[in-house]
Every structure is written in C-alpha cells, then in structure tokens.
Amino acid sequence: MTWIERLYLPAIFQGLSITIKHLFKKKVSLRYPEVKRAFAAVYRGMHVLKRDEQGRENCTACGLCAVACPAEAITMVAAERKKGEENLYREEKYAAIYEINMLRCIFCGLCEEACPKDAIYLTDRLVPSEYSRGKFVFGKDMLVEAVDQRIDISKRKKVYEI
Ligand code: SF4
Ligand code: SF4
C-alpha cells in the first residue's frame, strides 16, 4: 500500500460519500405499523370468510378449498344447521370449525379460486405477528368478517378478468 492508502482516508471519504448520497435518496423503509405500504391490487394477504347481503355466512362446508389447498393448511368440520339458525347460514350445511394454519399457507389463492360460493377471499391485510406457533392457527373468530365490515370484492374480481 502507498502511504496515502495506509492513512485509510480515501477509503473513509469514499464510504462517507456513499452514506451522504443515500441521505438524499427516496426512503424505502416505512414506520410500520403507523404507516402501511400500498400493495398491488393482486396482492394476497390474510383470508376472510365472506357473508352475503343478509349477513349470513357464505360457506357451505363443501370442502373444495381444503382439497385445493396444496399446503394442507385448511381444516374444516361440517355441521348441519339447526332450527332457528336460518338467518346465520345460507344452506343447511355450514362449517362448524374452519381453521387455516397461517404458518403452512403460501397465499397462493387456490382456495379462493376453488370456492363455488365466493365464501373465502384473500384480502390485502397482513397476517398479525404472534409469539407462539399455535396462535397462527386462525379459526372462525379470526376469519369470518364482521357483519358491519363486509369487504367489497368487486375490485379484485376485475383484476382477475384482465
Ligand atoms: S392461499 Fe393457498 S396455501 Fe393458503 S390456504 Fe389457500 S389454498 Fe391453502
Ligand atoms: S370456503 Fe368455499 S370451498 Fe371452502 S368449504 Fe366453504 S364454500 Fe366450500
């Protein structure tokens, strides 16, 4: 090394110049969760089990989503509707237990594609972080959408049609 190189000053200034250059560039990091990034219209995040216009659960427990799932992430137990439950479920059969293991899921969207009732839909919501593996198994309490917070899926459908 020359005596100038031994001073390490050129290398230090070179490093500083790179740092200063990046100071004025557009920031790529966000202050999550206060700031959330906008995802592409085709982004697939956390699932939701849809309700119809009358607030009844769309899912009829046919099991097609579980069969289509390549990761075997869906567990479902079907049950028959009892008298008086007409306003909760659309058909006689419904999913008494419906669970998705988010650690297995690869967010491929095949469950959504397979569903004949438009009952399952992958939203643009991120799956929340948890501290234990068991908490990543989401049941109906996490998946069925609230009556007053139904998601309009018409936007997503348009993307598929293109
Ligand atoms: S998105 Fe894919 S992997 Fe995840 S539950 Fe649906 S079919 Fe299974
Ligand atoms: S979500 Fe759809 S495909 Fe899956 S069991 Fe319910 S109705 Fe069938």
Side-chain angles (χ1 to χ4, degrees):
M1 283 201 286
T2 64
W3 66 272
I4 292 185
E5 282 171 337
R6 278 175 199 218
L7 284 175
Y8 295 108
L9 284 175
I12 289 170
F13 286 123
Q14 202 182 357
L16 277 176
S17 74
I18 292 171
T19 306
I20 290 164
K21 223 179 346 180
H22 280 280
L23 275 181
F24 300 103
K25 275 192 178 168
K26 198 175 167 237
K27 307 278 180 299
V28 289
S29 53
L30 295 172
R31 289 181 178 272
Y32 182 83
E34 288 83 18
V35 183
K36 294 190 177 86
R37 61 172 285 203
F39 292 107
V42 289
Y43 174 82
R44 298 188 193 104
M46 196 173 140
H47 313 61
V48 78
L49 287 174
K50 300 280 304 156
R51 293 179 184 274
D52 66 8
E53 305 74 43
Q54 279 115 57
R56 300 171 302 182
E57 289 181 20
N58 272 3
C59 178
T60 55
C62 67
L64 285 176
C65 53
V67 172
C69 178
E72 296 183 3
I74 300 174
T75 308
M76 197 186 44
V77 176
E80 286 221 14
R81 187 173 73 187
K82 293 185 200 83
K83 239 184 164 185
E85 288 181 332
E86 282 77 10
N87 50 352
L88 293 178
Y89 310 111
R90 209 157 78 166
E91 310 285 341
E92 283 74 35
K93 233 171 105 195
Y94 72 97
I97 296 173
Y98 193 104
E99 290 177 344
I100 300 180
N101 186 333
M102 293 296 169
L103 294 180
R104 277 177 165 253
C105 178
I106 52 172
F107 301 93
C108 61
L110 286 178
C111 48
E112 185 183 314
E113 295 283 327
C115 181
K117 298 286 180 186
D118 276 346
I120 188 160
Y121 170 71
L122 276 76
T123 65
D124 60 357
R125 297 180 194 149
L126 295 170
V127 176
S129 310
E130 295 293 351
Y131 290 99
S132 67
R133 296 181 70 82
K135 286 194 175 163
F136 282 100
V137 179
F138 289 2
K140 283 181 73 174
D141 54 327
M142 295 282 284
L143 297 171
V144 179
E145 65 183 355
V147 180
D148 56 347
Q149 287 171 13
R150 293 181 56 238
I151 296 168
D152 179 14
I153 60 171
S154 53
K155 227 178 190 178
R156 165 67 74 78
K157 293 287 176 205
K158 259 185 219 150
V159 174
Y160 280 149
E161 278 158 24
I162 291 167

